[in-house]
Amino acid sequence: MSQTHGSYGTAKLGMWLFLFTEIILFGGLFVLYAVYYYFHPQGFASASHELSLGFGTVNTLILLTSSLFVAASLSALQKGERRLTLLLLSGTILVALIFLVNKYFEWSEKFAHGIYPNGPAMPNLAPGEVVFFALYFVTTGLHGIHVLIGGVLLTVIAFGVRRGSIHQGDYVKLENSGLYWHLVDLIWIFIFPLYYLIL
Amino acid sequence: MVQQGHIVPYRTFILVWLTLMVLTVVTVAVSRLDLGAWKIWTALGIATVKSALVVFFFMHMKYEPLYYRIYLYLTLVILAIFIGLTFSDVHYRMTP
Amino acid sequence: MEESIKAAGSDDRGFLGGERGLRSWIFSTDHKRIALLYLWSIMSFFLVGMTLGFLIRLELIAPGATIMGAQTYNALFTLHGVIMIFLFIIPVVPAVLGNFLLPLHIGAEDVAFPRLNLLSWWFYLIGALMALASLFTGGGPPDTGWTFYVPFSTQTTTNVTVAAWAVFVLGFSSILTGLNFLTTIHRLRATGVTWNRLPLFVWAIYATAWIQLLATPILGLTVALIAIERIFQIGLFDPARGGDPLMYQHLFWIYSHPAVYIMILPGMGIISEIIPTFSRRRIFGYWAIAVSSLAIAFAGSMVWSHHMLASGMSDMGVFVFSLLTFLVAIPSAVKVFNWLATLYKGTIWLAPPMLYALTFLVLFSIGGLTGLVVGSAGTAIHTHDTHFVVGHFHYVMFGGAIFAFFGGLHYWLPKIYGRMYNLRLATWAWGILTVGFNLLYFPMFILGMQGMPRRYYDYLPQYTTLNVVSTVGSWILIAGLLLMLWNLWRGSRSGPPAGMNPWGGRTLEWTIASPPPKENFPGEIVVSTDPYDYHTGEGHS
Amino acid sequence: MNPPLLTTAETIDPVFWYILGVCIFFLLLITVVMLYFVWKYHRSRHPYTTSQVSKNVPLEIVWTLVPTLLALSMFWYGWAGYLTLQRVPEGAMVVDVTGRMWSWLFEYGNGKTSDRLYVPAGQPVQVNIHSADVIHSFYIPAFRVKKDAVPGMTTYVWFVADRPGSYDIFCAEYCGTAHSAMITTVEALPPEEFLAWYEGEGPAEADGELKALLTRHGCLGCHSLDGSPGVGPTLQGIFGRQVTVLVDGQERTLTADRDYLRRSILEPQVEMVKGYPPVMPSYRDRIPEAELEEMLDLFERPASAAAPSGEKLAQDKGCIGCHSTDGSRQVGPTFQGVFGRQVTVERNGQPVTIEADEDYLRRAIVEPQAEIVQGYPPSMPPYSELSDEELAALIDYLRGL
């Protein structure tokens, strides 16, 4: 428990503590979701119908797959398989891009129908639907920002692996970035049923 | 100094990933059924199992010291308190 | 030991010596230098906040317009709140004394993430500058009160958006500090510093860090939602669009009530250090005090809605939160009793730090006990949002947290700068400060009981007398404050050498030179003593 | 009479005394023990530590349990008091109140409205609380009741005024610039007087159409009708006045015509009058078109139609505080027979005798210091804010005395 344990465990503990704050950050939005769902179950159900289940499911599947890539990339690096690590990381970054592109199409489709904060379609909706979309945009927007940050982080790490500054003997940066990416996945695991499936 | 963490075999990860895929399909399928009030709880239950798999295997929580898990549970308990106690107000409001 | 300091020549400046110039400070990763960066920046904002408070009191010396208009007054109390809470009292003890002492207390060379520590200070500075920028940009200084209640904060034309982002950035600073401290306490304790040998100050910082970590994100989210609401009008709290204004208050207080414990817990930690040292006696109930810090932190996360007892919340909500509020009072009471018991059969030296600590006991008790009045549902309705509440939280925050901080400054300044201030002047300043404090804030309890609401620019004539007393008190208070700060400043620059251990403390920082050397301890150390290792027969030299 | 009803104050005050009693007891206990220890074990009397005891489990348990029990008793007593505040007695009279920036409007069962809360003494009253804009808080200190007015929600308080009198009502939740001016009163009347008020023409109506309309929409919280300064510009003589407004930071002078007045009610932020804080909320969708038209009509109506009464002005402006109407000598000369009287005044230090004609009276009101009547102190303030119509009305009134 002293300095002799080195900075590996210290860095990882720090990262986990940071992830706890992220959980609470999204937790605040889940508090709002729970209360507003309780107030407007009908409005939430009908607004949820408007979301595309296809987009949601595909995004869930690819995000879970990207988590597999990241997790496996750490094992690969630990075993010294540098090429495989890079391959897996590239896969993850690619998935991050696909996710964001999907999200872009999903949002633009809503925008095209006038469904966006203060948009032309909003006054015709029931209060429960309006607040559902408000929460939807804030939550998925915040999540999207996290996907972006995670993607950039992993790109930097991939260059580190390529350059050799992150290697079999010093991989905590990869592990921590991986943890961050898994958290992004974790949050989505809850966003998906709450916004797309509750119908 | 060489960092020595636990190395998880690919096999474990692939099994976990397969389970996650199956659970995603299950949760979508179940959401088509008419379960009434249980719908949200089933969806959340499956999501909890999925997130536990991610946390314990993908995120190595299973291989970390005990206090990591204690802190994680503490965080979740705090979040549960935030949601639960808020409902002590909103659930009993006369004019929602 | 004093000879050794004189003999050391050019090296006697410890971490203060060595590299010079602004860059060597604002980019330093040394926890001691960062602590001083915080000290200077936080104290500058304290002086600004104090001036605003002085102007508020001056305006209230008589009913009607006295020295300013209503809009100016509203901006002033908003800024007074924002500055004193977010820029002063939340960061002051953890960021200044915590940063300086935590590694010393556990025998470490630095905190776990020194660069992150520096980044936290930069976030603090940027957040503070943004808060100041909100005064001069957009529609003028925010006028919402530090609570930013919706829908007023989303409708007012003043510059709430920038202020909200400022708070968001300050929240980041607070989270990163908490994360850093938690990791430090876990990973960097020297050999022999077991959990039951942690100084109680470290326990207090540990409990505080958890609140910083787990509550602050909610604040970040809440103020971000205010800003988003103002920019995009999404209607998350607008009843016409399915929102609920009370949900804003829930989210806001989910952070801001625990924040009260971010402010007071480290102060309690300071008191737990000062009292044993100046009584030459082992602390009474070590585990009771340590565990009560954790209990306060945990239970403190469950009482937020007692700020909303008159808000139209449901009766069940009132029942639950009022009950939990009473329970959170108990660990505080336990602490006070244990501190009192520590005095028993010790040998008490009324040096300035001890005077502040003992005053803390009384003022904090008044603040805490009046908290029972505002925590009980029936009486809360009458006193809520009146001057009673203003009196209550100033007793807890100022009489509690800030008096503890002042005690801590008097206790550790000789360690930080290696020089001693004038003890007689310090005692005088303490006396003036204490008289002024009570004259300023005690009348507020009576005003509140008589029904004078808070945040009032103008008041009915029946409240005049007590307001005059209170305003006169503010002048005395400020005289005491300025005398104290001047004495400390002069002492730190040109006071006589303080020596390694001027007070006879037992914690690890007193075993090294004053000011401490850059690397703190000579290499890895092994600790085999208790932080409160006093025995019978001890006296003050 | 009904069986005696415990008032809200009678319910809550004992809770205060109990909790404050416990507080004072503990405060004294802590302070006295501390001071005693400090005295007894001060290093001058007790130079060496004589005990090393660092824990005592039974003691810890006692001083944890005793406060717990006391805390629970205080909680329970407070909760019981709170329940009384929440349980409205049967047969309470119901009044609706709406808070807006920055005034209260009360509405009674028969549709009557007022800006003060009139209630019969001795009868419980339930006040249902609404908000038209932001959160306010309806607070009557005398009855220990308070509840927030939250947009989108209806909250309530109840109270009984056990004797006739006037009690303050405050807004206790900060709501913007004139928060502290958002005060009014409960007027508890003897039941028969209340009934007369309730069924008769109330004071609100008697004050004239315009005032009633402005009261209903909460305008008078910020805009005066008598020329006195407020949060916003006075509405006295607003129609046709030259105003300097700020449009996107540019100053512009325009005439307050019908169009401008309409714009400034519906979109106040666009053309703010210079020198006033931009705090007025938009009244779009809040004021029915018909009422807006009526309000503009009333603004536009020539002042003579709503002719100010000279007698009322003399009272409102405080003239009769110094000038009698019965010939007696007070601070200033009497008004009796003042018109056409020969007066000796000091003009530039020289005594001059002139006749008090219309011109002189006008000067004496607007610029009294220029010509002070001999033998009287020069203490009259200038009344330059009076409009021409008001001056004419006042002089008319003086002519008749």
Side-chain angles (χ1 to χ4, degrees):
Chain A
M1 279 290 196
S2 76
Q3 280 157 311
T4 52
H5 283 246
S7 60
Y8 171 60
T10 305
K12 212 158 63 169
L13 178 61
M15 191 65 201
W16 266 104
L17 293 175
F18 181 72
L19 296 189
F20 294 158
T21 70
E22 293 275 13
I23 292 176
I24 298 282
L25 178 72
F26 281 95
L29 285 170
F30 290 136
V31 172
L32 277 182
Y33 180 94
V35 171
Y36 290 157
Y37 175 68
Y38 180 80
F39 281 165
H40 313 283
Q42 299 299 327
F44 267 49
S46 61
S48 165
H49 275 291
E50 301 283 316
L51 297 185
S52 154
L53 185 57
F55 270 126
T57 314
V58 168
N59 267 348
T60 310
L61 293 174
I62 63 172
L63 213 50
L64 287 171
T65 310
S66 75
S67 256
L68 169 72
F69 289 170
V70 169
S73 78
L74 179 64
S75 289
L77 192 65
Q78 284 171 324
K79 292 176 182 172
E81 295 164 359
R82 210 168 66 109
R83 284 182 59 88
L84 182 61
T85 308
L86 280 173
L87 198 66
L88 288 165
L89 281 178
S90 315
T92 314
I93 295 157
L94 188 68
V95 169
L97 286 176
I98 297 175
F99 181 92
L100 287 174
V101 170
N102 267 349
K103 197 92 259 168
Y104 168 77
F105 282 123
E106 209 184 335
W107 275 35
S108 356
E109 194 245 306
K110 290 277 152 301
F111 278 45
H113 287 93
I115 296 177
Y116 52 89
N118 229 4
M122 295 306 246
N124 308 325
L125 300 177
E129 297 176 312
V130 178
V131 81
F132 176 89
F133 283 117
L135 273 175
Y136 166 77
F137 282 115
V138 172
T139 313
T140 55
L142 189 64
H143 181 261
I145 292 173
H146 280 76
V147 172
L148 199 64
I149 296 172
V152 171
L153 212 57
L154 287 174
T155 311
V156 173
I157 296 299
F159 277 104
V161 174
R162 226 176 95 112
R163 242 192 355 258
S165 65
I166 298 168
H167 52 82
Q168 192 177 6
D170 179 10
Y171 52 77
V172 71
K173 287 198 181 102
L174 172 63
E175 188 168 0
N176 278 348
S177 311
L179 284 176
Y180 186 85
W181 187 257
H182 291 306
L183 177 95
V184 172
D185 191 16
L186 211 59
I187 301 294
W188 185 261
I189 287 179
F190 281 93
I191 292 179
F192 174 58
L194 288 178
Y195 287 89
Y196 294 84
L197 293 183
I198 53 150
L199 300 172
Chain B
M1 182 176 43
V2 175
Q3 292 165 355
Q4 287 169 322
H6 186 93
I7 304 180
V8 185
Y10 300 127
R11 219 179 89 85
T12 315
F13 283 151
I14 291 172
L15 278 178
V16 169
W17 173 72
L18 282 176
T19 321
L20 287 170
M21 292 285 131
V22 172
L23 282 175
T24 306
V25 175
V26 168
T27 190
V28 173
V30 166
S31 75
R32 305 293 98 185
L33 305 175
D34 187 18
L35 295 173
W38 283 101
K39 185 171 263 176
I40 186 125
W41 296 114
T42 333
L44 283 177
I46 295 175
T48 309
V49 174
K50 285 166 75 180
S51 56
L53 285 171
V54 170
V55 169
F56 277 85
F57 292 96
F58 284 175
M59 300 174 87
H60 292 208
M61 186 52 105
K62 189 167 179 284
Y63 315 103
E64 302 292 359
L66 174 68
Y67 70 88
Y68 275 59
R69 287 189 284 288
I70 294 177
Y71 287 176
L72 175 68
Y73 299 144
L74 175 75
T75 306
L76 298 178
V77 165
I78 293 282
L79 185 55
I81 287 173
F82 290 167
I83 297 178
L85 286 185
T86 305
F87 269 82
S88 79
D89 166 21
V90 296
H91 181 63
Y92 297 91
R93 288 248 194 103
M94 276 185 291
T95 48
Chain C
M1 288 158 201
E2 279 169 35
E3 301 86 82
S4 71
I5 284 179
K6 280 174 205 145
S10 62
D11 284 333
D12 69 347
R13 300 298 297 149
F15 76 101
L16 294 170
E19 280 188 79
R20 301 168 72 91
L22 189 64
R23 287 174 60 89
S24 78
W25 282 87
I26 61 172
F27 297 117
S28 170
T29 53
D30 178 6
H31 69 101
K32 300 180 288 299
R33 285 198 169 193
I34 292 173
L36 291 189
L37 286 179
Y38 271 118
L39 178 69
W40 298 325
S41 40
I42 288 176
M43 288 317 281
S44 324
F45 285 107
F46 174 66
L47 289 177
V48 176
M50 182 190 84
T51 310
L52 296 175
F54 168 78
L55 291 173
I56 292 171
R57 268 323 320 167
L58 205 56
E59 169 58 40
L60 288 178
I61 197 169
T66 313
I67 56 165
M68 62 181 88
Q71 189 63 18
T72 314
Y73 177 85
N74 295 341
L76 282 196
F77 77 67
T78 302
L79 286 170
H80 174 75
V82 168
I83 289 178
M84 284 305 202
I85 292 190
F86 294 114
L87 295 179
F88 175 61
I89 191 167
I90 284 181
V92 70
V93 182
V96 177
L97 295 177
N99 245 321
F100 195 89
L101 291 168
L102 181 60
L104 297 179
H105 269 168
I106 62 174
E109 192 188 333
D110 205 321
V111 292
F113 307 110
R115 276 180 297 175
L116 197 65
N117 202 13
L118 178 65
L119 185 68
S120 305
W121 179 74
W122 276 99
F123 272 135
Y124 172 83
L125 193 69
I126 293 167
L129 293 178
M130 282 171 73
L132 287 185
S134 76
L135 306 188
F136 308 109
T137 54
D143 63 340
T144 56
W146 77 278
T147 47
F148 300 114
Y149 268 18
V150 296
F152 184 72
S153 62
T154 56
Q155 289 179 5
T156 177
T157 53
T158 56
N159 202 353
V160 174
T161 313
V162 171
W165 287 122
V167 172
F168 185 85
V169 173
L170 290 167
F172 250 100
S173 168
S174 188
I175 288 176
L176 295 179
T177 303
L179 183 157
N180 215 338
F181 287 178
L182 274 180
T183 315
T184 308
I185 296 170
H186 258 282
R187 308 281 312 180
L188 301 187
R189 279 173 286 126
T191 312
V193 183
T194 50
W195 287 96
N196 59 1
R197 276 203 196 127
L198 283 184
L200 287 165
F201 179 73
V202 176
W203 272 111
I205 290 285
Y206 179 77
T208 307
W210 271 113
I211 312 178
Q212 286 178 297
L213 200 71
L214 294 187
T216 317
I218 300 275
L219 173 77
L221 176 74
T222 313
V223 291
L225 287 179
I226 288 281
I228 293 172
E229 189 76 50
R230 286 179 69 86
I231 299 169
F232 299 110
Q233 274 115 46
I234 56 174
L236 265 180
F237 303 114
D238 177 358
R241 285 183 274 185
D244 175 18
L246 291 194
M247 277 315 294
Y248 170 81
Q249 298 179 21
H250 274 296
L251 284 183
F252 181 80
W253 289 116
I254 281 179
Y255 166 74
S256 296
H257 190 75
V260 169
Y261 300 103
I262 297 180
M263 308 174 201
I264 192 70
L265 274 172
M268 292 170 157
I270 295 173
I271 301 303
S272 306
E273 298 302 318
I274 293 178
I275 288 183
T277 303
F278 291 89
S279 316
R280 284 290 183 279
R281 194 179 174 309
R282 186 176 280 274
I283 189 98
F284 192 89
Y286 175 88
W287 278 110
I289 294 179
V291 170
S292 64
S293 286
L294 300 177
I296 289 174
F298 185 72
S301 306
M302 312 200 291
V303 298
W304 71 85
S305 284
H306 66 212
H307 295 266
M308 300 163 58
L309 296 182
S311 69
M313 188 168 66
S314 73
D315 287 352
M316 179 56 90
V318 171
F319 179 89
V320 169
F321 283 103
S322 173
L323 175 62
L324 291 169
T325 301
F326 274 94
L327 295 181
V328 84
I330 292 155
S332 307
V334 168
K335 273 187 196 289
V336 170
F337 297 142
N338 278 296
W339 289 325
L340 280 184
T342 305
L343 300 175
Y344 178 70
K345 290 193 177 174
T347 169
I348 292 165
W349 175 15
L350 290 177
M354 187 62 162
L355 288 174
Y356 280 101
L358 295 175
T359 318
F360 168 96
L361 283 187
V362 177
L363 299 183
F364 175 72
S365 297
I366 296 178
L369 290 166
T370 50
L372 300 174
V373 177
V374 289
S376 141
T379 48
I381 296 296
H382 178 57
T383 46
H384 175 75
D385 265 333
T386 64
H387 267 67
F388 192 91
V389 175
V390 182
H392 159 69
F393 70 69
H394 278 96
Y395 264 88
V396 179
M397 294 296 109
F398 193 166
I402 301 181
F403 265 68
F405 172 66
F406 289 164
L409 266 189
H410 284 87
Y411 186 49
W412 281 299
L413 208 76
K415 171 56 61 185
I416 297 174
Y417 283 101
R419 295 177 185 280
M420 186 56 89
Y421 48 84
N422 183 322
L423 292 181
R424 177 186 287 271
L425 263 185
T427 308
W428 270 101
W430 161 82
I432 298 170
L433 190 59
T434 306
V435 169
F437 177 90
N438 286 293
L439 212 52
L440 168 52
Y441 296 112
F442 201 83
M444 292 187 181
F445 289 128
I446 307 168
L447 279 171
M449 293 290 268
Q450 292 173 346
M452 179 174 164
R454 65 193 280 210
R455 295 173 169 177
Y456 259 32
Y457 162 70
D458 188 5
Y459 52 85
L460 295 179
Q462 66 257 35
Y463 303 123
T464 309
T465 315
L466 286 166
N467 270 299
V468 172
V469 174
S470 183
T471 300
V472 172
S474 76
W475 302 339
I476 300 173
L477 175 88
I478 283 180
L481 266 178
L482 293 179
L483 181 62
M484 182 200 86
L485 292 174
W486 179 74
N487 183 35
L488 288 178
W489 183 75
R490 204 185 56 154
S492 72
R493 289 182 66 90
S494 57
M500 212 156 83
N501 191 358
W503 315 115
R506 287 289 193 272
T507 36
L508 291 177
E509 76 271 28
W510 303 113
T511 63
I512 54 174
S514 313
K518 191 172 185 317
E519 66 285 353
N520 293 353
F521 300 97
E524 294 243 340
I525 58 164
V526 178
V527 178
S528 54
T529 54
D530 193 86
Y532 307 104
D533 198 15
Y534 298 102
H535 304 280
T536 50
E538 294 222 27
H540 299 276
S541 51
Chain D
M1 280 298 280
N2 298 327
L5 183 70
L6 211 53
T7 67
T8 46
E10 284 164 351
T11 309
I12 296 303
D13 287 353
V15 185
F16 265 112
W17 293 124
Y18 175 62
I19 297 179
L20 285 174
V22 174
C23 290
I24 291 167
F25 170 76
F26 270 99
L27 181 65
L28 286 180
L29 182 80
I30 291 166
T31 312
V32 167
V33 169
M34 185 187 91
L35 290 177
Y36 174 71
F37 282 176
V38 167
W39 176 81
K40 179 96 192 279
Y41 303 118
H42 188 264
R43 61 174 173 169
S44 60
R45 276 173 218 87
H46 195 254
Y48 303 107
T49 299
T50 53
S51 164
Q52 216 191 334
V53 181
S54 66
K55 64 176 172 198
N56 185 328
V57 176
L59 201 57
E60 297 283 353
I61 291 174
V62 167
W63 68 37
T64 308
L65 273 186
V66 171
T68 308
L69 294 177
L70 272 171
L72 288 177
S73 75
M74 286 186 277
F75 157 71
W76 190 255
Y77 201 19
W79 170 247
Y82 175 80
L83 279 187
T84 312
L85 294 184
Q86 289 297 96
R87 288 190 184 141
V88 185
E90 293 210 7
M93 179 179 100
V94 177
V95 183
D96 278 88
V97 62
T98 303
R100 58 155 45 87
M101 294 156 146
W102 290 277
S103 63
W104 299 104
L105 181 72
F106 298 93
E107 194 169 347
Y108 302 81
N110 62 356
K112 199 177 171 90
T113 60
S114 66
D115 55 0
R116 286 160 193 257
L117 175 54
Y118 290 89
V119 298
Q123 191 192 332
V125 179
Q126 175 181 353
V127 185
N128 289 330
I129 305 163
H130 315 270
S131 165
D133 37 46
V134 301
I135 298 179
H136 304 279
S137 192
F138 183 79
Y139 177 32
I140 315 175
F143 305 135
R144 320 283 186 259
V145 295
K146 176 187 292 135
K147 195 59 74 74
D148 283 7
V150 186
M153 273 172 77
T154 301
T155 52
Y156 66 92
V157 297
W158 79 269
F159 64 86
V160 49
D162 53 357
R163 63 180 72 90
S166 179
Y167 309 89
D168 295 321
I169 297 175
F170 295 126
C171 174
E173 182 61 64
Y174 173 71
C175 58
T177 310
H179 167 53
S180 65
M182 195 169 159
I183 59 182
T184 181
T185 51
V186 179
E187 299 294 340
L189 306 174
E192 56 281 7
E193 258 180 62
F194 172 78
L195 210 63
W197 174 85
Y198 187 66
E199 284 166 359
E201 282 286 302
E205 269 81 353
D207 282 338
E209 260 177 290
L210 181 60
K211 187 166 178 197
L213 197 56
L214 293 174
T215 305
R216 189 149 74 238
H217 291 288
C219 312
L220 299 181
C222 302
H223 303 277
S224 73
L225 270 176
D226 59 1
S228 58
V231 175
T234 180
L235 297 178
Q236 186 189 44
I238 180 72
F239 196 88
R241 192 157 69 198
Q242 294 287 312
V243 289
T244 307
V245 296
L246 291 174
V247 184
D248 295 331
Q250 302 288 316
E251 278 188 32
R252 192 173 298 167
T253 304
L254 47 77
T255 308
D257 54 8
R258 215 176 155 91
D259 270 358
Y260 169 73
L261 290 175
R262 167 182 286 273
R263 291 200 304 274
S264 67
I265 293 169
L266 297 182
E267 299 291 346
Q269 300 295 336
V270 179
E271 295 161 299
M272 268 292 166
V273 178
K274 193 183 160 211
Y276 291 92
V279 294
M280 177 161 161
S282 164
Y283 274 73
R284 189 174 292 286
D285 304 328
R286 288 200 203 170
I287 176 166
E289 179 57 28
E291 290 191 21
L292 178 60
E293 280 297 319
E294 189 188 345
M295 192 184 283
L296 293 173
D297 281 347
L298 289 167
F299 279 138
E300 192 172 2
R301 187 189 297 176
S304 57
S309 137
E311 184 175 2
K312 189 164 181 310
L313 271 171
Q315 282 167 3
D316 288 354
K317 296 290 171 189
C319 310
I320 53 173
C322 299
H323 304 277
S324 76
T325 51
D326 59 1
S328 63
R329 182 191 165 99
Q330 288 181 349
V331 180
T334 179
F335 279 164
Q336 195 183 42
V338 66
F339 197 86
R341 191 160 64 201
Q342 294 291 316
V343 290
T344 306
V345 296
E346 294 225 358
R347 190 187 285 164
N348 300 325
Q350 300 294 320
V352 185
T353 304
I354 50 170
E355 187 191 331
D357 57 3
E358 192 167 329
D359 265 1
Y360 166 72
L361 287 175
R362 194 179 294 267
R363 291 200 303 274
I365 295 169
V366 178
E367 216 183 340
Q369 299 298 332
E371 295 163 310
I372 288 287
V373 179
Q374 266 193 338
Y376 290 93
S379 59
M380 178 164 158
Y383 278 82
S384 47
E385 87 272 12
L386 291 176
S387 66
D388 285 348
E389 293 79 21
E390 285 172 322
L391 273 174
L394 256 181
I395 291 165
D396 259 7
Y397 165 66
L398 294 181
R399 199 197 300 263
L401 283 170

